[in-house]
Amino acid sequence: MNHNLTTLHPYPFAKMATLLANSTPAHNHSEIKLGIGEPKHEPPAFVLDVLRENLDKIGQYPTTNGLFELRQTIAHWLEKRFFLNHLDPHSQILPVMGTREAIFSLVQAVVDHPQTELSEATTNQPASTKPAQPPIIVMPNPFYQIYEGAAILAQATPYFMPCTIDNDFKGNYRAVPKDVWTRTQLLFVCSPNNPTGSVMTMDDWEYLLRLSDQYSFIIASDECYSELYFDSAPIGLLQACAALGRHDFKNCVVFHSLSKRSNLPGLRSGFVAGDANILQPYLQYRTYQGCAMPIPHQLASIAAWEDEKHVAHNRALYQEKFALWMSELGELLDLRMPEAGFYFWIKVPEQFKGDDEIFVKALYEQANIHALAGRYLSREVNGENPGQGYVRIALVASVDESREAISRIRKLLNA
Ligand SMILES: Cc1ncc(COP(=O)(O)O)c(C=O)c1O
């Protein structure tokens, strides 16, 4: 077996299961799941209709680059949403089966292990090559764990950039040492960020684009929460490129998904867009990997990307729930409104010793509420784990369940 498999961390939810293995949930309460970020709002009925109407097409093999109509629809959506002049559906867009697999596989396709030439004079042996230091992939910390696993399995070294209150939970890019950037082949950005809810500004993008030019690394921008915002729509990486006149999107790729935007996590539908010089070899990689989206799913995806009404409705539901939590619990809990997304990233109250494991255990044992311990989403670097002392709460449950969760948490905090 690939020995790197043994260095993969268990998934955060596996760590939660271990933590709660000997706990009993409050028996007088029904279970409320706020741990996993699985959307629970209704999927749009018209999308499911298209899926049903096209089930007979399951008899055909889909192509890896998908239907032209799907890529064209996505191009139109991107142009409108991010103010782009033109995207080429042939070379700048690839449908993928949810962003998770694409985030993982893109890393496998792009990471390169250059060999350093050693001359006979230096080694006293016949001319040979020796691996250079492993490439680096820079990522936020806390993070979506696929970034780390993808780096490990591509034999790259993850470099964790702490996202703390001191840097608005975005990560301090300016503090990354030069010798890290020189080995960096790819930088993951998650905007809106899971779990912190931070969003990149135009200035942030401009700074990162300058770094990418200087050190020739790819910026991989995970934007799967981009449509769940409150006041203004987050600026995406392609939008920043276009505003700066970088219409070839050099070294930039973005990931988008229907999972959160349209409440279709089971459809497994998303796309990667950006630099054609990355997407074309990546398409060839995907042809071998063999993950093409079934045609009924592609047709349903076209319907979903073409409609904004259901997305606005979805946003309104999240806004209602965030407002409810803020007004009902804002004084008892250190609640900070995220800039976008559907997570609260909450500092654990002192009465739980500021300890995320203690707090999530109490929520489960006394209120039958699932939340996620922050430390399971992050890594300790130089003795500090930026997720420790935080919990992530996903506002995925219905408005009624949210009310119930709030009332139970109020009781727990007042106890
Ligand atoms: C930050 C982030 N990126 C990507 C994904 C993957 O989403 P999907 O594969 O459903 O598109 C998730 C899912 O929770 C996520 O939180």
Side-chain angles (χ1 to χ4, degrees), residues 37 98-100 103 144 147 190 194 222 224-225 257 259-260 268 343:
T99 48
R100 183 183 181 126
I103 287 167
Y144 180 53
Y147 309 155
C190 185
N194 168 8
D222 180 353
C224 70
Y225 293 91
S257 172
S259 300
K260 324 285 180 185
R268 309 312 300 131
Y343 299 109

Side-chain angles (χ1 to χ4, degrees), residues 146-331:
I146 305 302
Y147 309 155
E148 180 197 46
I152 291 173
L153 290 179
Q155 299 190 44
T157 305
Y159 179 89
F160 302 113
M161 199 178 32
C163 300
T164 63
I165 193 157
D166 299 330
N167 51 50
D168 296 331
F169 296 103
K170 276 196 252 192
N172 185 357
Y173 296 93
R174 285 165 174 82
V176 177
K178 186 168 184 263
D179 64 322
V180 169
W181 288 129
T182 52
R183 281 170 54 201
T184 298
Q185 292 191 359
L186 186 139
L187 160 71
F188 272 116
V189 179
C190 185
S191 178
N193 184 281
N194 168 8
T196 71
S198 65
V199 164
M200 298 291 278
T201 63
M202 190 62 200
D203 283 349
D204 296 329
W205 286 128
E206 215 174 330
Y207 183 76
L208 292 184
L209 286 164
R210 250 185 280 131
L211 280 177
S212 157
D213 286 344
Q214 191 177 348
Y215 297 103
S216 297
F217 58 75
I218 293 172
I219 307 179
S221 179
D222 180 353
E223 301 181 4
C224 70
Y225 293 91
S226 69
E227 304 317 288
L228 305 182
Y229 52 84
F230 303 99
D231 304 319
S232 51
I235 302 173
L237 173 59
L238 299 189
Q239 181 177 358
C241 287
L244 295 167
R246 304 165 66 107
H247 297 291
D248 59 354
F249 309 117
K250 183 172 173 241
N251 273 337
C252 292
V253 289
V254 296
F255 299 86
H256 282 272
S257 172
L258 289 176
S259 300
K260 324 285 180 185
R261 171 192 190 273
S262 300
N263 303 316
L264 291 164
L267 191 66
R268 309 312 300 131
S269 178
F271 66 82
V272 184
D275 187 346
N277 290 324
I278 297 170
L279 292 196
Q280 292 316 294
Y282 178 47
L283 168 61
Q284 191 178 24
Y285 180 95
R286 294 181 64 77
T287 312
Y288 282 85
Q289 170 155 305
C291 44
M293 199 191 301
I295 292 171
H297 292 224
Q298 293 192 51
L299 295 169
S301 302
I302 291 175
W305 287 115
E306 277 177 346
D307 182 75
E308 288 301 317
K309 219 168 124 197
H310 74 282
V311 191
H313 175 65
N314 199 22
R315 266 196 296 275
L317 285 177
Y318 285 116
Q319 284 163 4
E320 183 182 347
K321 288 188 281 181
F322 272 103
L324 195 65
W325 278 72
M326 289 301 291
S327 71
E328 298 290 318
L329 281 176
E331 280 176 11

Side-chain angles (χ1 to χ4, degrees), residues 65-109:
N65 63 349
L67 298 170
F68 175 73
E69 292 75 11
L70 173 58
R71 281 178 279 126
Q72 196 172 39
T73 303
I74 291 170
H76 288 154
W77 181 78
L78 280 169
E79 286 162 8
K80 202 165 160 209
R81 165 67 175 82
F82 295 110
F83 309 100
L84 313 178
N85 282 350
H86 175 68
L87 269 172
D88 179 7
H90 293 289
S91 63
Q92 293 179 311
I93 290 163
L94 269 184
V96 296
M97 295 196 59
T99 48
R100 183 183 181 126
E101 64 91 351
I103 287 167
F104 179 81
S105 62
L106 183 93
V107 172
Q108 313 312 309

